[in-house]
Amino acid sequence: MVAAVFCALVTGCSPIVALDPAPHANDPTCADVIVHLPSTLENLPRRETNAQATGAWGEPATILLRCGVTVPVASDLPCVQTDDIQWLRDDSKAPTYVFTTYGRTPAIAVVIDQKKLSPGPTLQDLEGVVAYTKPNGHECLSVEDSLGGTASPTPTPTPTPTP
């Protein structure tokens, strides 16, 4: 009983998040990614997982990460970009979205429950760990903004001469 109380006080005794490892979870780069995962994302604490090269945040788990998923080479999925990282957005199970890095090896998939938080800040906060993966030369042909609309450059206003 003392051990149970100690466990509750020290760790909160959150149950381990059960995940399946990705097919290439044993890629050494995934180890670099996982050891650099933040302890919190969007104010959600990191949780323990039971699978290699995975991460989870929130109680219940609101953000899931798997490193070593199959590297996409072509896709019809919409592409979004956060700074230097491109992500394929699978919204087939909305409001739960799966974002998979594009143009990087190994690939990382991040599952986000959009009912609980916006994906943009989460993906931006993960850029530092995604940077441990290597660019593979693939780039999205078309990038949408994070709201799903086609991004277009803002025209530069033409200066009007003053009389």
Side-chain angles (χ1 to χ4, degrees), residues 24-103:
H24 307 286
N26 62 349
D27 185 305
T29 303
C30 285
D32 287 335
V33 168
I34 298 306
V35 300
H36 290 96
L37 289 177
S39 59
T40 61
L41 269 177
E42 302 304 306
N43 295 318
L44 300 173
R46 185 167 170 201
R47 304 266 308 277
E48 184 178 352
T49 62
N50 69 341
Q52 180 178 354
T54 60
W57 293 263
E59 176 82 37
T62 303
I63 304 165
L64 304 173
L65 179 143
R66 293 172 66 222
C67 184
V69 298
T70 302
V71 174
V73 290
S75 179
D76 291 332
L77 293 173
C79 183
V80 296
Q81 185 164 337
T82 56
D83 294 330
D84 296 328
I85 308 297
Q86 293 183 333
W87 303 85
L88 297 177
R89 183 188 71 222
D90 181 350
D91 55 8
S92 63
K93 295 189 170 123
T96 300
Y97 289 79
V98 179
F99 293 88
T100 304
T101 55
Y102 189 72

Side-chain angles (χ1 to χ4, degrees), residues 9-29:
L9 291 174
V10 174
T11 66
C13 288
S14 296
I16 295 173
V17 177
L19 295 171
D20 292 324
H24 307 286
N26 62 349
D27 185 305
T29 303

